[in-house]
Amino acid sequence: MSNLLIKSGRIIDPIQGIDKTADLLVKEGVIDSIKENIDTQEDTELIDAQGKIVSPGFIDLHCHLREPGYEHKETIATGTAAAAKGGFTTICAMPNTNPVADSQAVIDFVLKKARDEGVIRVLPIGAITKGSIGKELAEMSELAHAGVIGFSDDGNPLEDDNIMRQALSYSSLLTLPIINHCEVPSLSIGGSINEGWISNRLGLKGNPSSSETIMAARDIELAQLTGGQIHIAHASTSGTIELVRQAKKKGIRVTCEVTPHHLTLNQSAVLGNGGMSSEHAVLGPDSYDQNAKVAPPLRTKEDTDALKEGLRDGSIDFIATDHAPHSQVEKFCSFQEAAFGISVFETALGSLMSLVHSGDLSMAVLIEKMTSAPAGFLNANLGNLKPGTTADIVIIDTESEWKVDSSAFVSKGINTPLNNTVLKGQVIKTIFGGKTIYDAMDHAHD
């Protein structure tokens, strides 16, 4: 393994409190040192990062790799390659596969497949209940022993209050979190988009924000009762953020995440062409954009503003993609029939950089929410550039403008409402264990 010397980049490492221009030396796959004017040594590859940002590799705690069972949507090989292109070096795979990841056998399969065919680190999430159908707890101890980092029934909100209570109690003994998709099914059933003027205008059944906040409130209460840790996946409403904010003040063990799309898009994206702001706007043929159909739905601008504030004040712990690739046939159908989900890995940084360019978020906070904060959730020595740590690094050009072309995605899922959008900010290189696994320049010549 060759050594690397990354020269003259703006190095940002929130864990060490570093934000300065310096050189970074990698020896045999491990961070060696960060200082100014490191001399070039023999057998060392030189990377010029002048004008670029050098960050720990991104960590994504919520994605869908679809394997086993749904390889037509994504595989561990394509998913990890797409993640690497997006700057991710560690990703956590949700259990809604076929079979569901509710047994050691499935977890072992995912880990082996990731070792054999993946290009980055894959950490599995186990199901809370058998088959993720919410009736009986999975063998949580067996799953913990197999290496899961938490438990979730993902797209199936855990509806039964007592089973959620049991899950939180049991998982606290295993010191692992319960991750819930908060949505009251009786309120959200049949809802395609956020309930509001756009759902009314398009004649689509809406999913009210209260469906999320009611279940979030229940989960927080049960976390307080049991002492377990509840993690709220893809928070989307101002009400949820306020519940989390108050719960944290009380010392309740609650964490939450937000996705790039819920931060940067709102319900008007469903109307296509960037959306319309007026209730009196004329609807056109692009006004039902299935690629903007996601669960939970894209909410209002007020919700988006509340999510940004939650990131800034620490109510939201980190950013996670909820990368949800689908085949084209699952999106090119009627809006009501279309699958929920957006392919996010390859656009995550570019879309989030809009928050930095607009002044909504500092670059240091953005990097913290994608590196050290999720690493802390995992209680793992990842997401930092400390000497002695595995060299997982991403190099970013914050000024590079590029047009999203979903047909060029590495992911099998080309389902994105950002197709043909110009984004400013791009991953230039992704380094995993000291080895360059994605290089934008190489990719440009493919």
Side-chain angles (χ1 to χ4, degrees), residues 210-224:
S210 54
S211 75
E212 177 176 297
T213 52
I214 289 170
M215 190 171 278
R218 178 207 70 173
D219 287 354
I220 288 167
E221 286 288 326
L222 291 176
Q224 184 174 26

Side-chain angles (χ1 to χ4, degrees), residues 106-180:
V106 182
I107 298 299
D108 287 348
F109 170 86
V110 169
L111 288 170
K112 184 178 188 308
K113 199 83 171 173
R115 279 194 304 272
D116 293 347
E117 298 178 19
V119 295
I120 59 172
R121 186 180 295 105
V122 176
L123 304 175
I125 296 167
I128 303 172
T129 64
K130 292 179 179 177
S132 287
I133 56 176
K135 301 298 183 190
E136 183 184 355
L137 287 182
E139 300 294 343
M140 295 169 75
S141 181
E142 175 188 299
L143 291 170
H145 180 73
V148 303
I149 58 95
F151 304 95
S152 179
D153 280 351
D154 188 57
N156 299 331
L158 188 44
E159 197 174 0
D160 188 302
D161 303 335
N162 194 46
I163 289 181
M164 176 54 92
R165 176 184 180 171
Q166 291 173 22
L168 282 163
S169 296
Y170 198 54
S171 69
S172 66
L173 300 175
L174 302 168
T175 63
L176 292 171
I178 295 291
I179 304 165
N180 197 21

